[in-house]
Structure formats: C-alpha cells, structure tokens
C-alpha cells in the first residue's frame, strides 16, 4: 500500500529546486520510504515520485520506482493476494526473481507479451503506472476500483500526470478549475459519481482497465485490458475462506475491524480458523452533551463476538460531535463528499496505527450481495405493473418492504418515476422539482447522467431494474463512496485496509448469480447470510439488522443547526452553485421538525466547506464548524 505521482513531459532535465516534491503531499500513504526517478528519451519525459508503506518484503530491494529503465520502471499501489501462484507461473517461463514481494511479480507480469490475459488471473487490489523504454506508459486499476488512480489532462486533453491522490496534481497546477457539477453531485448524493472528481481537468481512471499512451505527446490513449467477466458462481463459503486466507498474508501485523455485524463477524470466524489472535478494533460512542438521538451501538455486539471467538478487543472511543469534524472529512476525501460514516473509520484507523499495519474490513458485501434497503424497494417496484405505479403512489397506501417503511416519502417518489430513474433516485436526497430550485446551474440531467448511462445500458440489454441498480452501485457507488473513504481514511493514518469480500473468488460467487437470487423480500443479501451462518457465524449476529456506522447527525442539527446555518448560508457556494433560499427551506424543514432532512443538511455543510476550500479561496465556514463544539457545550 503506497502512493505515487507520475508527471509527464514537464521538465526534461529534472525538477527545479523551486518546485516542491509533489509526493511529499502523500507522505501519509508511505511513511516507510520514498523514491524518485527521471526517465526521458526522444521527445518524452516521465518524472516518477513514490512513497512506500512496507507490507510485503519490507527489504529495500522492493522499494519503488521498481525496475530497469532498459526494460521499464513501475510505481504501484496495492497488493496481489495470489502472488505466490503468479510467481510460479512466471518462474515457469524463465523469470528469475530477486525479491520476495508482490511488486516484482506485477512488474514481470506486465512485461509479458500476454500481460492482458495474465491480469485476468490476478486476485488483488492495484493501481499502477509502468513507463516503458520508448516512453509509452501503461496505467490501470483493479476490477472494482479498490485502489485510487487519477489522471490530469493538459489543455489539449492529453495525459499530463497520474497520481494516487488529487492534491499533488493541484500542487503542480494541473487540476484546473473547480467543477460545479461535481459539487452539486456531492450535495445530491453525498458522494461524487466517477469519473468526476471536483476538478475539471482531473478524472478517475476507469476501474477494471489498463490504458496506454505513447511517449511523444501522449496524445493517443488506447485500452489494453478490460477485466474479463467472472467465471461461473461457486460456493460462497468456500470463496470467502479462500479470500480470507490469501489476504491474511503479510510481513507486518494484521488486525481486524470488528463491528459485531454479519460481515466483520464472518471475517473474524475465518481468521480465527487460521490462528489469528488479534488485534481487533471496535468503536464505541462517546456521545456529546445535548444529543440524545438514538442509533444502533455496535459495541455490545462486538464485545460479545470477540468473547465468543476468544479474540482481544481494543476500543476506539468515537467522538460523535461530527459537525465540527466536517473540515477534516472534506480535506481527507478530496472529492465533494458528505457521508459522516467516514469519520468513524478515520478515528478507528488512527486508533489502530502503531498496533497493526494491515486491517481487514467487511466493506463491499452490501453492493455485491444486495444488502441495502433500496434493493428491496426496487425489487418490489419491478413486480408492479408500470401502469399501476403512479396510481398507487397517488393513493398514499404504499406497500413498502418491512425495512423501507421509514422511507415512505422516497418510495412514493419512486412510484412516479420510470425504471431508468430508480438507480439515482434511490440514492438522492432531493426530488426532481426541489433539485431544480436548489441547483439552477447543474440540472438534474447533468447530475444524474452517469447513473442513467450505466442503468440504461443494462435495461437496453434486457436486464431488470434491480440488475441496473446493482450495476450502478458496483460501478459508481462502491468506488465513489465506500471504497473511496475506506482508502482515504485508512491511508491518512498510514495503515492498509484490505477487503476480503471483494477478492476475486467472492466477486465470482456474487456476479455469477442473478440479482433477484441474492435477496428475499424483507431480507437483503440472503444467499450471503445463509452462507455465513453455515460457516459458523452465530445466530444472534445473523438475526441482527443491518445498521452501519452511526452518528447523531439529525439531533445535532436540530439542536444547533439554526445557529450554525446563519453563518454557513453566507458561503460563496450559495452565490456560485446552489440557491440560498431553497437551502434555507431545507434546513428549516429539519430544524423545525417538519421533515427529517439531517443528511441533506449535512451534505450542504460539507459542500460549503469544499467550495470555499477549493474554489473560493476562503475558510470561513470551516472555521465556524471547527469552533462548533465549544459553542455547543460551553
């Protein structure tokens, strides 16, 4: 797990002393070592900067940039979990290895004539840039986009740099202006659908692809690999066992993030079978004064699971006063983002640093095996005749699924929409009419374009609306929200987060089954749940409803939102991108108890901080929120 920056055709004779090391901004991603290399030839130049978090083969022989300029040089972020098997394949071809790490395995694999076919055999998470002797670059990401990779374009649209995070690209003057559409998306969804990033000249590299560009000008970009379709579905239990066993391999201490929920408990069961004896890390709330909002507390479940498995448990006491932490959240996420769950993982990762370098997490199960409530809603909707949906919505008698009754207003909105719109509407915090008033600059079509594009392709090919929603979640929501904050939160603390449920064996078990086979009415991820119980997950865990990370956002905003909003509404965001009067109504609805708009208001606060930080050149809203706690409890 590492970070890198590759600058293309910048300065042919090295970096001027007046320009800072762009990779210094990624020191948190690689506290163990750094490396720099200039490569150039006839009409091309590549400047490589790297930071290393040593997990496999900590010896300096595996430091990066890795390779020989006469063959090619690699910078790489990630882990290949089946590296021993791939090493054996390559050794059979006469490759002689000089290290024990997976970096050399990926390097030699990418230099093979049939590297695209070999990449289909990789089980891992990766983002890399390979610079070949003639100046050609190859760069790409794993199937699901577990590891980040961004590309910045020059004025002509040609690749000018690639990096693990966006801040180094901004420091080099390559990001361009802020993107108001991305900021609007952050307010609409609380995350930014890729490939948008918040900057007009920076895009995320598509997941599951390897692209190539020639050295002289890097003007033509071609696709060299696209992740193949997975094989036939196998047994989920066997797939999980294989994936966990592979991801336990490390030359540093491995820990477990344990919530006491179904996913993390299954990880604990499988890890214990392999002799894992800790450490485990769990969160417990430290509720701030004046916020009585009830939410699910994972701590009792985590403690019970740890006792049953005989694993030691280290606690992270979460500061749930999340409003004052918004500036930290915005800076860490980089893209327009507003999900408060990321704050809990940020605090857990910081608590784990120094006790474990690798953490295993249950991220990804909900998207692969359809565990969210929205899948239940769409599954029910697609079983209703199209002509009956608007009429049913008009009656107000909405037969919402058991776990969806608390979202009746959103379900009623879905009844009035076409199937093409369900994928974005299940994730949106605004309806179409309200959005038109809030966002005169970035209209609904532009903000929902990527959802409609992905969902439309599935529907046009004869897929069901549920399959379209699942595809949107796997291609947009998973890399744009959960995997993004998992990477940022862990790497800010200098730890590697591994996600065994996104290993290739498990992905095949999920993707090989029809979406409708993954759940039963009222029970999400039913196939996965049954496999977990059969593998030894206790019944008290399997019966527990899904909760996720909690924070008292709603009650904090009801109590303190009016006072804070008087300052936040002055943000330039409400002059440049969003309508101030419409935002006033959203906040008033929540503060006065007319409607629960807590997360929508939280998203507006995050968007205001992001816009000031990255476009307006001020930090007034961040200062207001950072000082919130003293004013609230003083």
């Amino acid at each position: 797990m590492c970070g890198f920056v590759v600058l293309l055709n910048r300065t042919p004779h090295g970096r001027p002393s007046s320009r800072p090391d762009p990779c210094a901004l990624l020191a948190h991603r690689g506290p163990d070592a750094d490396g720099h290399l200039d490569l150039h030839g006839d009409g091309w130049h590549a400047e490589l900067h790297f930071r290393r978090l040593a997990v496999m083969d900590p010896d300096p022989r595996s430091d990066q940039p890795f390779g020989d300029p006469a063959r090619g040089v690699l910078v790489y972020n990630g882990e290949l979990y089946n590296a021993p098997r791939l090493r054996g394949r390559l050794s059979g071809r006469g490759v002689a290895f000089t290290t024990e790490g997976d970096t050399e395995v990926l390097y030699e694999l990418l230099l093979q004539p049939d590297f695209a076919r070999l990449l289909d055999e990789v089980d891992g998470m990766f983002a890399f840039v390979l610079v070949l002797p003639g100046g050609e670059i190859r760069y790409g990401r794993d199937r699901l986009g577990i590891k980040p990779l961004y590309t910045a374009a020059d004025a002509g649209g040609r690749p000018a740099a690639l990096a693990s995070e966006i801040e180094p690209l901004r420091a080099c003057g390559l990001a361009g202006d802020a993107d108001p559409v991305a900021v609007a998306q952050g307010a609409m969804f609380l995350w930014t659908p890729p490939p948008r990033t918040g900057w007009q000249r920076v895009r995320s590299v598509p997941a599951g692809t390897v692209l190539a560009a020639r050295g002289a000008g890097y003007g033509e970009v071609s696709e060299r690999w696209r992740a193949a379709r997975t094989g036939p579905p196998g047994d989920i239990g066997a797939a999980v066992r294989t994936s966990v066993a592979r991801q336990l391999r490390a030359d540093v201490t491995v820990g477990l993030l344990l919530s006491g929920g179904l996913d993390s408990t299954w990880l604990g069961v499988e890890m214990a079978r392999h002799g894992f004896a800790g450490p485990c890390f769990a969160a417990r709330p430290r509720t701030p004064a004046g916020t009585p909002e009830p939410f699910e507390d994972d701590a009792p479940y985590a403690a019970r699971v740890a006792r049953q498995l005989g694993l030691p448990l280290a606690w992270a006491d979460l500061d749930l006063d999340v409003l004052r932490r918004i500036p930290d959240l915005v800076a860490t996420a980089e893209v327009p983002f507003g999900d408060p769950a990321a704050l809990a993982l940020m605090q857990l990762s910081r608590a784990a640093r120094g006790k474990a370098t690798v953490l295993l997490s249950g991220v990804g199960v909900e998207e692969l095996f359809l565990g969210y409530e929205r899948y239940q809603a769409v599954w029910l909707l697609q079983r209703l005749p199209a002509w009956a949906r608007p009429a049913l919505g008009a009656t107000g008698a909405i037969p919402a699924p058991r776990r969806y009754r608390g979202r009746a207003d959103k379900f009623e909105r879905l009844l009035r929409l076409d199937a093409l719109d369900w994928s974005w509407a299940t994730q949106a915090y605004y309806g179409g009419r309200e959005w038109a008033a809030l966002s005169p600059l970035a209209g609904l079509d532009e903000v929902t374009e990527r959802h409609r594009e992905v969902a439309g392709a599935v529907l046009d090919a004869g897929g069901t609306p549920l399959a379209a929603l699942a595809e949107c979640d796997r291609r947009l929501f998973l890399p744009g929200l959960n995997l993004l904050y998992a990477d940022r939160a862990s790497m800010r603390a200098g730890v590697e987060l591994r996600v065994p449920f996104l290993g290739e064996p498990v992905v095949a078990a999920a993707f090989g089954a029809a979406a409708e086979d993954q759940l039963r009415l009222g029970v999400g991820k039913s196939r996965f749940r049954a496999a977990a119980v059969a593998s030894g997950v206790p019944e008290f865990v399997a019966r527990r409803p899904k909760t996720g990370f909690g924070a008292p956002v709603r009650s904090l905003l009801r109590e303190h939102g009016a006072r804070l909003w008087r300052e936040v509404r002055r943000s330039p965001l409400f002059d440049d991108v969003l309508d101030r009067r419409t935002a006033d109504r959203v906040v008033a609805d929540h503060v006065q108890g007319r409607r629960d708009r807590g997360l929508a208001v939280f998203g507006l606060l995050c968007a205001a901080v992001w816009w000031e930080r990255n476009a307006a050149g001020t930090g007034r809203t961040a200062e207001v929120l950072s000082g919130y706690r003293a004013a609230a409890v003083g």
Side-chain angles (χ1 to χ4, degrees):
M1 189 69 66
C2 309
F4 59 78
V5 181
V6 177
L7 303 176
L8 302 173
N9 288 345
R10 293 281 282 177
T11 53
H13 302 295
R15 174 169 46 90
S17 58
S18 60
R19 179 152 55 91
D21 170 15
C23 222
L25 295 167
L26 297 180
H28 52 276
R29 299 189 72 92
D32 296 327
D34 64 1
H36 310 270
L37 186 64
D38 273 0
L39 299 172
H40 53 87
D42 186 14
W44 66 273
H45 173 247
E47 183 183 328
L48 289 75
H49 305 272
F50 182 79
R51 300 288 310 205
R52 185 182 184 196
L53 177 66
V55 171
M56 303 298 296
D57 191 20
D59 192 278
R61 62 190 175 179
S62 285
D63 284 351
Q64 300 180 41
F66 185 91
D68 180 352
R71 299 181 67 210
V73 178
L74 175 73
V75 286
Y76 150 59
N77 167 31
E79 299 288 348
L80 305 190
Y81 303 122
N82 61 341
R85 178 179 177 276
L86 297 169
R87 180 184 293 268
R89 288 284 307 275
L90 294 169
S91 295
R93 296 184 174 195
V95 174
F97 288 91
T98 61
T99 75
E100 299 298 322
D102 61 334
T103 298
E104 188 175 17
V105 173
L106 180 62
Y107 174 74
E108 293 292 349
L109 184 153
L110 292 172
L111 292 177
Q112 298 296 306
D114 59 343
F115 77 90
R117 184 177 65 81
L118 292 172
L119 277 174
D120 287 332
E121 300 181 22
V122 169
D123 176 17
M125 54 182 182
F126 58 82
F128 69 83
V129 178
L130 175 69
V131 182
L132 295 171
E136 176 184 339
I137 58 168
R138 294 176 185 169
Y139 56 99
R141 300 173 73 191
D142 58 76
R143 177 191 298 277
L144 295 173
I146 301 172
K147 301 320 301 169
L149 182 59
Y150 298 98
T151 180
D154 63 17
R158 296 166 297 194
L162 296 114
S164 300
E165 291 185 8
I166 300 169
E167 193 62 25
L169 302 177
R170 294 187 65 213
C172 292
L174 297 172
D177 294 332
D179 178 3
V181 174
V183 180
Q185 289 175 321
M188 171 68 100
F189 302 116
L190 306 187
W191 56 281
T192 307
R196 290 186 185 270
T197 64
W199 287 269
Q200 295 189 3
R201 291 164 76 176
V202 177
R203 290 288 184 267
S204 61
V205 173
T209 62
V210 170
L211 305 175
R214 296 287 180 181
Y218 297 107
E220 295 184 13
V221 176
S222 60
E223 184 177 277
R224 299 296 301 273
W225 172 74
R226 182 178 292 273
R229 295 180 60 86
T230 60
D235 176 74
I236 296 175
V240 169
R241 287 190 288 276
T242 298
S243 190
V244 171
R246 287 177 177 177
Q247 297 198 26
L248 275 171
R249 291 181 60 250
D251 293 328
V252 293
T253 302
V254 176
L256 169 66
L257 294 180
L258 182 63
S259 70
L262 182 72
D263 309 338
S264 66
T265 298
W266 194 357
L267 289 181
V269 168
E270 299 299 339
M271 292 167 73
R273 286 192 177 120
H274 287 276
F276 175 74
C280 298
F281 302 92
R284 58 188 176 191
R286 189 175 73 232
T287 306
T291 55
E293 176 182 347
F295 58 90
E296 189 72 26
D297 181 3
D298 288 337
Y301 292 93
R304 185 175 175 184
V305 169
R307 285 195 303 270
Q308 188 154 328
L309 296 179
L311 295 174
L313 196 58
W315 292 104
D317 292 320
L318 297 186
D319 177 3
L320 297 180
D321 197 358
V322 294
L323 302 185
R324 70 187 185 92
R325 294 188 174 274
I326 285 176
D328 191 19
L329 172 64
V330 169
T332 298
E334 292 194 297
V335 303
F337 187 90
D339 189 336
L343 289 164
L345 184 56
M346 289 164 63
Q347 293 181 64
L348 268 169
S349 299
R350 289 166 184 161
R353 180 59 182 164
K355 302 171 184 174
T357 305
V358 172
L359 297 173
L360 268 58
S361 164
V363 167
V365 171
E366 310 305 323
E367 294 84 0
L368 260 61
F369 293 96
L370 280 60
Y372 293 123
E373 295 170 351
R374 56 180 173 265
Y375 302 126
Q376 299 283 325
V378 169
W379 193 33
L380 178 61
L381 284 166
Q382 73 182 27
R383 298 167 77 177
L384 296 173
W387 60 266
R389 294 172 197 144
L392 182 61
T395 68
I398 301 170
R402 176 175 61 86
R403 290 280 290 158
Y404 211 77
R405 290 193 181 107
R407 278 78 164 174
D409 57 340
K410 181 179 284 189
F411 191 79
E412 182 176 357
R413 191 161 70 236
L414 295 176
L415 285 165
R416 302 175 184 274
L417 295 172
D418 294 332
L420 179 63
D421 293 316
W422 292 345
S423 293
W424 69 260
T426 54
Q427 301 173 8
Y429 288 88
Y430 300 89
R433 185 175 301 175
E434 186 178 36
W435 183 257
L438 177 67
S439 179
L441 181 63
L444 187 67
D445 287 348
E446 197 168 16
V447 168
T448 63
E449 179 182 17
R450 280 293 289 148
H451 283 85
R452 287 175 168 173
E453 177 184 317
V454 173
V458 175
L459 295 172
D460 290 346
T464 65
L466 182 61
L469 172 58
E471 184 71 1
C472 275
D473 275 5
R474 291 163 180 172
R475 290 183 56 187
L476 304 178
F477 181 84
L478 181 58
L481 177 73
N482 284 333
L483 290 176
L484 181 136
Y485 86 68
D487 174 83
R488 295 301 198 279
S490 58
M491 290 309 298
R492 283 281 168 168
V495 298
E496 172 178 296
L497 194 74
R498 294 182 177 179
V499 283
F501 294 124
L502 298 185
E504 286 292 313
V506 186
V507 170
F511 283 15
E516 287 74 12
D517 294 337
Q518 300 282 21
L519 72 171
R520 301 195 312 272
L521 191 61
V523 182
K525 58 183 184 188
S526 58
R527 286 180 66 235
F528 182 89
R529 191 177 303 273
V533 172
S535 296
V537 171
E539 282 288 347
F540 78 87
V541 173
R543 291 193 302 268
R544 181 190 174 193
K546 172 178 171 51
T547 57
F549 285 128
V553 170
R554 294 168 178 84
S555 59
L556 284 169
L557 286 169
R558 281 217 170 93
E559 183 170 358
H560 306 292
R563 178 183 59 79
L564 287 173
W565 185 248
R566 285 194 294 270
E567 297 295 327
V568 175
R569 71 182 302 278
R570 296 165 53 196
S571 169
L573 174 74
F574 303 104
D575 299 312
D576 302 337
V577 181
L578 301 180
D579 180 74
R580 183 174 281 108
R581 288 179 297 178
T582 305
D584 286 341
R585 289 194 291 271
V586 173
V587 175
D589 279 349
H590 183 77
V591 170
Q592 297 172 19
R594 292 193 292 266
R595 291 176 62 193
D596 177 10
R597 305 300 300 273
L599 289 177
V601 176
F602 189 84
L604 291 175
L605 302 184
C606 292
V609 172
W610 194 96
W611 188 253
E612 289 186 23
R613 183 178 192 270
N614 298 299
T618 70
R620 193 186 58 80
T621 297
E623 292 177 5
V624 168
L625 293 172
S626 296
Y628 151 78
R629 183 182 185 188
V633 303

